[in-house]
């Protein structure tokens, strides 16, 4: 059985809404994960990062106040520490993220997600 297509979604984010609309226009009804309410586990986020080919800081919203308040710009922090911070403060996770077929893409721009479908 194949895994469902998932979107880590923030309905207040225009890019997230546009990405969801792009999927539904193509007849895809993804599983919607409101990651601010239900953040991914550390293992799930690590798997997403691996699928994206990114390190944690590359998927972080570094302009958020919490990024600076939590000292996440400290280059001595490990991958594990950064992932834990993202799970504890999901607002720091760039959005939207779509996962499908063991792959992942960030919907910035929304059309990026088409490459994994």
């Amino acid at each position: 059985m194949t895994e469902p297509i998932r979107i880590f979604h923030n309905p207040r984010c225009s890019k997230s809404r546009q990405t969801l609309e792009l999927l539904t226009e193509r007849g895809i009804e993804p599983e919607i994960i409101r990651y601010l309410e239900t953040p991914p586990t550390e293992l799930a986020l690590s798997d997403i990062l691996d699928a994206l080919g990114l390190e944690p800081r590359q998927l972080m919203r570094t302009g958020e106040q919490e990024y600076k308040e939590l000292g996440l710009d400290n280059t001595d922090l490990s991958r594990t520490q950064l992932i834990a911070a993202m799970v504890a403060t999901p607002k720091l996770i760039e959005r939207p993220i779509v996962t499908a077929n063991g792959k992942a893409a960030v919907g910035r721009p929304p059309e990026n997600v088409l490459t994994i479908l």
Side-chain angles (χ1 to χ4, degrees):
M1 182 167 169
T2 61
E3 285 190 28
I5 296 172
R6 293 185 174 99
I7 181 170
F8 290 83
H9 179 61
N10 177 353
R12 294 185 63 200
C13 170
S14 63
K15 294 294 183 199
S16 198
R17 290 191 310 269
Q18 291 168 11
T19 301
L20 180 57
E21 183 179 345
L22 182 70
L23 293 172
T24 58
E25 284 174 352
R26 284 168 172 68
I28 298 167
E29 294 297 329
E31 177 183 336
I32 298 170
I33 300 169
R34 292 186 177 211
Y35 71 95
L36 293 176
E37 299 164 13
T38 309
T41 64
E42 290 179 22
L43 178 59
L45 187 54
S46 181
D47 289 346
I48 289 167
L49 286 163
D50 290 344
L52 289 167
L54 298 176
E55 289 303 318
R57 207 171 264 116
Q58 294 174 291
L59 192 62
M60 288 181 130
R61 299 176 57 84
T62 59
E64 295 291 341
Q65 184 176 349
E66 291 85 348
Y67 182 81
K68 292 181 179 36
E69 287 175 355
L70 296 171
L72 298 174
D73 55 348
N74 179 345
T75 57
D76 291 334
L77 293 174
S78 69
R79 175 183 169 96
T80 301
Q81 289 171 308
L82 292 171
I83 290 172
M86 294 166 79
V87 170
T89 311
K91 180 180 180 182
L92 294 169
I93 302 171
E94 186 61 80
R95 75 253 179 181
I97 301 167
V98 174
T99 60
N101 308 311
K103 300 175 185 173
V106 177
R108 290 188 171 269
E111 293 77 18
N112 279 353
V113 303
L114 299 176
T115 64
I116 65 167
L117 302 177

